[in-house]
Amino acid sequence: AQSVAQPEDQVNVAEGNPLTVKCTYSVSGNPYLFWYVQYPNRGLQFLLKYITGDNLVKGSYGFEAEFNKSQTSFHLKKPSALVSDSALYFCAVRAARPNSGYALNFGKGTSLLVTP
Amino acid sequence: DTGVSQDPRHKITKRGQNVTFRCDPISEHNRLYWYRQTLGQGPEFLTYFQNEAQLEKSRLLSDRFSAERPKGSFSTLEIQRTEQGDSAMYLCASSLGLAGLNEQFFGPGTRLTVL
């Protein structure tokens, strides 16, 4: 089954510093990977996705992610963190079952805290 | 607002009662998903509709759960004889296109508390 793992429950970073939120995947076939962010009392918001092509994917709010096939990773990055980036981040992989509508299989999430 | 909407946002009920949630997807989206999210976990897939057809139900969806999407528009998720273990955030998402390569747009969720 397609799955992702987020090894860190929480990541702390100072404002202005670069941030990385880690994600590794396990799939059969090609991986289709997504990052979402969840703010309190709000739904999940799409950040970016990797389908094919360049290994560096650029997304919303200055975020980017690097797809690494050899390390089966898809880490989320941002060069300079903002306090407003503090939220819960989810990595997800597209399921392989057509009848699920290729639903998303999510990791357990990583809480990002950016301190002033 | 043309995003995905869900109603109610919060529901508190007593064990054994029935509850129904509604999801209004983005109007042109043919794909509709229900997920459940518990504290400290990522969302877990419950069921999927393509237009009005319910194509797959997760094993998480016991016989007490039923979902519909009449006319391929809004969807409802009903839980009968609620149990405390049903307490969770229920998320609805919609998307457009083939093969699930487009992003899913999520609603704000319905938080269910079963006392």
Side-chain angles (χ1 to χ4, degrees):
Chain A
Q2 321 290 75
S3 66
V4 293
Q6 295 181 243
E8 302 156 319
D9 290 337
Q10 183 162 323
V11 170
N12 297 319
V13 64
E15 187 175 30
N17 284 358
L19 69 87
T20 298
V21 182
K22 296 180 180 178
C23 173
T24 58
Y25 65 87
S26 174
V27 302
S28 54
N30 293 322
Y32 301 108
L33 299 160
F34 299 77
W35 276 102
Y36 282 81
V37 60
Q38 189 174 38
Y39 297 99
N41 299 317
R42 294 175 66 177
L44 280 81
Q45 296 178 32
F46 169 77
L47 284 178
L48 50 79
K49 64 183 177 183
Y50 173 82
I51 303 300
T52 186
D54 289 342
N55 290 340
L56 186 63
V57 179
K58 294 190 181 298
S60 306
Y61 312 119
F63 283 93
E64 57 190 26
E66 185 172 8
F67 173 73
N68 187 316
K69 187 174 183 178
S70 63
Q71 297 185 4
T72 62
S73 66
F74 187 56
H75 300 333
L76 183 70
K77 300 182 179 185
K78 188 174 184 182
S80 178
L82 300 173
V83 172
S84 57
D85 292 330
S86 298
L88 196 53
Y89 290 81
F90 290 97
C91 180
V93 62
R94 192 194 79 163
R97 308 182 314 279
N99 281 349
S100 78
Y102 299 104
L104 295 173
N105 294 332
F106 287 87
K108 65 180 181 179
T110 298
S111 179
L112 173 66
L113 179 62
V114 181
T115 53
Chain B
D1 189 340
T2 57
V4 178
S5 61
Q6 293 186 245
D7 184 70
R9 294 289 303 274
H10 303 273
K11 180 69 176 178
I12 300 174
T13 191
K14 293 182 179 179
R15 188 177 54 187
Q17 298 295 304
N18 299 343
V19 295
T20 300
F21 310 143
R22 177 180 171 121
C23 170
D24 286 89
I26 294 172
S27 59
E28 64 268 26
H29 285 185
N30 60 330
R31 296 171 176 265
L32 188 145
Y33 308 80
W34 284 97
Y35 293 85
R36 182 171 70 186
Q37 184 178 17
T38 54
L39 198 61
Q41 300 297 322
E44 297 173 290
F45 170 74
L46 291 179
T47 191
Y48 166 67
F49 288 86
Q50 184 164 310
N51 300 309
E52 67 274 11
Q54 186 176 20
L55 296 188
E56 184 170 309
K57 295 170 61 174
S58 161
R59 293 177 184 176
L60 293 175
L61 224 58
S62 74
D63 291 343
R64 297 184 296 105
F65 288 72
S66 62
E68 294 182 341
R69 191 184 182 195
K71 303 179 182 178
S73 56
F74 71 92
S75 177
T76 58
L77 177 67
E78 181 183 14
I79 309 175
Q80 295 183 328
R81 305 181 303 282
T82 52
E83 301 174 356
Q84 288 184 328
D86 298 331
S87 296
M89 177 75 85
Y90 290 84
L91 298 168
C92 175
S94 69
S95 71
L96 182 65
L98 299 175
L101 297 181
N102 293 330
E103 58 267 31
Q104 295 179 23
F105 292 82
F106 283 80
T110 294
R111 182 171 295 282
L112 173 65
T113 302
V114 181
L115 302 177

